[in-house]
Amino acid sequence: MEWIKEPWPWYVAGPLIGLMVPTLYFVANKPFGLSSSLKHICAACLPGNVPFFKYDWKKESWNILFVVGILLGGTITQIFLSDREPVQISLSTHDALVNLGISDFSSLFPSDLFNWKNLFTLQGLVFIILGGFMVGFGSRYAGGCTSGHAITGLSNFQLSSLVAVAGFFIGGLVITYFLLPLLLN
């Protein structure tokens, strides 16, 4: 059972993730992606006359179940398969983050940045609220999330997905090397 607790190499994990695309197409005739699930949840839960949410969301309930499966899988993994060791990052990344004032590497998200106390500060507003809004807005504006574009769109040779994925990476580099140091100082 120890093998499942260890990080899997990219050449195993990548193809397994990639196989989700043809599996969903062959089994259910559905594209892989997660951002549309929020739309389906809103359509199911929000009463009202918002035209955007007026469609038969029950035809897309598989997407909601897919997200529930991801949440359950993540929860089971965290509870039963986590080794409770700090997140493994490179020494240069560790040193760069320490120089920016981040010292807690015990979880996926540094509690120095993501905590309830920090939520009500300008820094927390930018990281948590504005960052979350930008991810949601960007997913809707780009016509899909990173997983949908990078896995499904690129495997279908869609130029728009190539542009979106390039934009995601460029945006990540700009945030990491330029904006993050400004916000943490």
Side-chain angles (χ1 to χ4, degrees), residues 4-144:
I4 201 165
K5 290 183 177 184
E6 298 295 320
W8 291 7
W10 65 267
Y11 52 84
V12 173
L16 287 175
I17 293 169
L19 287 173
M20 284 302 303
V21 174
T23 301
L24 275 173
Y25 274 133
F26 290 132
V27 172
N29 197 28
K30 303 290 182 184
F32 178 79
L34 297 177
S35 59
S36 57
S37 60
L38 180 59
K39 176 184 175 186
H40 306 319
I41 291 168
C42 290
C45 297
L46 294 176
N49 287 327
V50 179
F52 185 70
F53 297 128
K54 292 291 182 188
Y55 65 94
D56 188 10
W57 61 267
K58 292 176 185 172
K59 288 183 179 178
E60 304 299 330
S61 59
W62 72 271
N63 194 273
I64 297 171
L65 292 174
F66 187 70
V67 171
V68 169
I70 290 171
L71 292 173
L72 283 173
T75 302
I76 289 168
T77 301
Q78 177 63 30
I79 293 170
F80 297 110
L81 301 175
S82 178
D83 61 4
R84 307 287 187 231
E85 293 293 319
V87 176
Q88 300 298 313
I89 58 176
S90 73
L91 187 57
S92 62
T93 301
H94 179 275
D95 294 343
L97 290 172
V98 167
N99 287 337
L100 292 173
I102 297 173
S103 59
D104 179 16
F105 299 99
S106 62
S107 67
L108 188 57
F109 300 105
S111 63
D112 300 325
L113 299 176
F114 300 100
N115 59 59
W116 287 106
K117 187 180 104 187
N118 199 27
L119 177 62
F120 302 106
T121 65
L122 180 60
Q123 185 185 60
L125 179 72
V126 170
F127 281 123
I128 300 169
I129 305 297
L130 185 62
F133 172 79
M134 294 297 289
V135 168
F137 177 81
S139 293
R140 178 70 188 133
Y141 187 72

